[in-house]
Amino acid sequence: MALLLGMKYSYSFMSASQSTVMADESGLSGATLGIAIAAISSFINGSTFVLQKKGILRSRNKGCSYLIDGVWCSGTLCMIIGQVGNFLAYNLAPAVIVTPLGALGVLFGAVLASWILEEHLNILGKLGCIICCCGSVVLIIHAPKAVETSREELEERLLDPVFVTYILLVVLLLITLIVWVAPAHGTSNIMVYVAICSLLGSFTVPSSKGLGLVAHDVFGEGPPNSRALALFLVLLGVLAVSILIQFFFINKALECFSSNIFEAIYYVTFTSTVIFASALLFKEWTELTVTDSLAMLCGLVTVCVGVILLRISQETVITWKEKEGQKKTD
């Protein structure tokens, strides 16, 4: 598994470099290409939870393991493709803009769930989808430019006391949730699994972006730098472990809860943790003006409100017709 992940991300590094060159030749900036890839990946990721949930329900009816169900496997394949796309996007555009674009995946997932899983999507949910799109547009318009970071700067920032303290707190919280809280309350409280998967985003996204920065020194011309190779292997190991743990708890959550509910709440919490971790490590927010910062904050709040509306719509019945037997009073 580790070898396969290494081959996959090595190929992604070369693809990212080729994509950047193609972008420059065609007149597109790397950030623009990254945003486009992030949008496509969001739609692919949006189908992941729905297909996996469908596979779990099918296998439950058949009395067999969902690991051998074709629909569940297709959802897993979508997850792999979507994550590779996200990896490319994180290495072409700032994380603070790539991550919020996942709202498009929530939108597509809600529509797909209403069709495949027959999970009702009422007018409130449709309004939530529209608000998500509007918030994403605001985020794109006011996104910060990617901050150039060298491997040496990355090594310094990884050892920054503030970032190290944050990572230690996240690890301690993850251990508490996985070892003690999840076995007792995981099946009854959706926030347990959501918190575990979201906190792991503090490792997956920075590791993905860090791998892209180190890849040039490892796969470039000439012998690889020993320090760069060591950092590359550490980041790859962290990425592989965090993805596998996320994968396990995502499926645990889908066994117990609605895919729409989980995806909506997961999106908001995951986006928040990733933006916070990326801000601490890569300091992309330092390039924003006050106006852009306020606009980004408003865009993020707008997206979160849209996702919350999607969540509420799952348990709300709305009708435009007058109740039968109800009389109008003057």
Side-chain angles (χ1 to χ4, degrees), residues 19 43-44 50 75 82 85 89 118 132 151 188 243 248 292 311 313:
S19 299
F43 284 111
I44 296 175
V50 178
E118 298 182 354
C132 284
R151 177 179 58 82
S188 59
I243 286 178
F248 174 77
D292 287 334
R311 160 67 179 88
S313 69

Side-chain angles (χ1 to χ4, degrees), residues 225-274:
N225 184 290
S226 58
R227 290 188 62 181
L229 182 60
L231 180 58
F232 175 85
L233 293 176
V234 170
L235 291 175
L236 183 61
V238 171
L239 181 64
V241 171
S242 59
I243 286 178
L244 291 175
I245 297 176
Q246 275 182 294
F247 183 76
F248 174 77
F249 282 103
I250 283 173
N251 282 280
K252 292 277 288 184
L254 292 176
E255 289 181 26
C256 307
F257 307 101
S258 163
S259 65
N260 264 342
I261 293 175
F262 174 76
E263 186 173 9
I265 301 175
Y266 174 53
Y267 166 76
V268 174
T269 54
F270 181 85
T271 299
S272 302
T273 56
V274 166

Side-chain angles (χ1 to χ4, degrees), residues 1 8 44-45 47-53 55-56 66-84 243-244 247-248 250-251 254:
M1 176 64 73
K8 179 181 75 174
I44 296 175
N45 286 326
S47 64
T48 294
F49 296 147
V50 178
L51 293 175
Q52 287 184 333
K53 178 69 175 182
I56 290 173
Y66 60 78
L67 295 175
I68 59 175
D69 184 83
V71 176
W72 183 87
C73 290
S74 66
T76 304
L77 180 62
C78 287
M79 176 180 288
I80 294 173
I81 295 173
Q83 291 303 318
V84 171
I243 286 178
L244 291 175
F247 183 76
F248 174 77
I250 283 173
N251 282 280
L254 292 176

Side-chain angles (χ1 to χ4, degrees), residues 176-226:
T176 303
L177 289 171
I178 293 174
V179 176
W180 290 288
V181 181
H185 305 286
T187 57
S188 59
N189 190 336
I190 192 173
M191 289 306 301
V192 176
Y193 293 141
V194 168
I196 292 173
C197 296
S198 299
L199 288 172
L200 286 168
S202 298
F203 299 97
T204 54
V205 174
S207 295
S208 296
K209 200 168 182 66
L211 283 170
L213 295 173
V214 180
H216 178 72
D217 293 332
V218 176
F219 298 102
E221 298 180 357
N225 184 290
S226 58

Side-chain angles (χ1 to χ4, degrees), residues 23 26 67 82 90 99-100 111 122 171 175 178 193 196 208 232 242 254 282-283 310 321 326:
S26 61
L67 295 175
Y90 282 123
T99 304
V111 175
N122 56 29
V171 171
I175 293 175
I178 293 174
Y193 293 141
I196 292 173
S208 296
F232 175 85
S242 59
L254 292 176
F282 297 106
K283 297 178 173 58
L310 270 173
K321 298 179 181 179
Q326 182 178 356

Side-chain angles (χ1 to χ4, degrees), residues 148-195:
E148 294 294 333
T149 305
S150 64
R151 177 179 58 82
E152 291 77 12
E153 290 175 330
L154 176 63
E155 291 177 352
E156 292 179 2
R157 292 178 180 181
L158 286 173
L159 297 177
D160 182 77
V162 176
F163 183 73
V164 171
T165 302
Y166 169 74
I167 290 299
L168 290 176
L169 290 175
V170 170
V171 171
L172 181 61
L173 187 55
L174 280 171
I175 293 175
T176 303
L177 289 171
I178 293 174
V179 176
W180 290 288
V181 181
H185 305 286
T187 57
S188 59
N189 190 336
I190 192 173
M191 289 306 301
V192 176
Y193 293 141
V194 168

